[in-house]
Amino acid sequence: MAVSVKQMSLIVATLGILSFVFGIVAENNKPTAGKPIPGKDVVICKYPSDPTVAFGYLSFAFLIATTVSGCMSLVYPYKGKSVPQSALLQSTSFVVFFNIALLTGGLAAALLLWPTITEQLHLSHNVHHNLNAECPTAKTGLLGGGAFLSLDSALFWLVALMLADNAREDYFDEEEDQKGQYGQVLATDYDEPAHLKGSA
């Protein structure tokens, strides 16, 4: 099934929005702290049940899907025509936005994974032998920041896709112009000169 640039941009945008939404929901549902319950020589941290870890991993998964689909959208052979990477890399604007999309995607991944893994560790290792231990949770604000960077990354992929589409059109226009000039040269080369026609 052939995919158009518009369809690919909708896929990238949808995945980016889903990553953003799951990241925001994970941030909003994260508890501020757990409740320490003293036991015999230990402190057990009881945390309220919340979907922070699951939503954090979902946000990260959709971010990865956004990045993969964003990369694929740039090199996908639309209408069965592929463009060499060198043609895309000639556009300075494309290279800049491509690198920014990768950078924001990497930062978003770090900001989403760090608090999600930290929260999971707090929930699984909730027994402390230090009687003065508190019951912390992951740092507040990181998941929300990662969610916004994930959305930014999707937007930069869309800009890079538009610039790649422009570079693709320029490449095919130049190719057609070269073919047209080559065809005209061949046509004139094969035309028999008038003085030869008379001598024949």
Side-chain angles (χ1 to χ4, degrees):
M1 182 178 107
V3 181
S4 67
V5 174
K6 186 181 279 188
Q7 289 171 325
M8 194 64 89
S9 62
L10 281 174
I11 291 170
V12 173
T14 302
L15 292 172
I17 290 169
L18 286 172
S19 176
F20 169 74
V21 168
F22 280 118
I24 292 297
V25 172
E27 179 67 52
N28 288 337
N29 285 318
K30 189 182 77 62
T32 54
K35 182 180 179 183
I37 300 173
K40 188 178 180 181
D41 297 329
V42 293
V43 171
I44 300 170
C45 290
K46 185 177 181 182
Y47 293 95
S49 60
D50 68 276
T52 301
V53 174
F55 284 157
Y57 283 126
L58 278 172
S59 179
F60 174 73
F62 279 112
L63 171 64
I64 296 299
T66 303
T67 304
V68 170
S69 61
C71 286
M72 284 180 57
S73 71
L74 302 178
V75 296
Y76 185 83
Y78 298 102
K79 298 177 183 177
K81 296 179 179 180
S82 59
V83 177
Q85 291 181 2
S86 58
L88 295 177
L89 296 176
Q90 286 177 355
S91 170
T92 308
S93 301
F94 168 77
V95 173
V96 168
F97 278 97
F98 175 75
N99 287 321
I100 292 174
L102 285 178
L103 180 64
T104 52
L107 285 173
L111 288 176
L112 289 173
L113 274 183
W114 181 14
T116 302
I117 293 172
T118 303
E119 189 73 10
Q120 187 177 15
L121 290 174
H122 285 315
L123 294 174
S124 58
H125 300 95
N126 62 339
V127 178
H128 303 280
H129 293 286
N130 180 6
L131 297 178
N132 295 321
E134 297 177 354
C135 297
T137 58
K139 190 171 178 64
T140 303
L142 292 180
L143 282 166
F148 277 103
L149 275 176
S150 181
L151 184 62
D152 289 342
S153 176
L155 293 174
F156 284 123
W157 282 120
L158 292 176
V159 174
L161 175 57
M162 287 189 295
L163 292 170
D165 190 42
N166 290 342
R168 186 178 290 109
E169 287 178 5
D170 292 343
Y171 173 79
F172 287 125
D173 287 345
E174 287 177 11
E175 201 175 52
E176 284 178 11
D177 288 344
Q178 288 175 359
K179 282 182 181 176
Q181 291 171 1
Y182 184 66
Q184 289 171 0
V185 169
L186 283 179
T188 55
D189 284 350
Y190 283 112
D191 281 345
E192 191 174 3
H195 69 276
L196 290 178
K197 286 181 181 176
S199 63

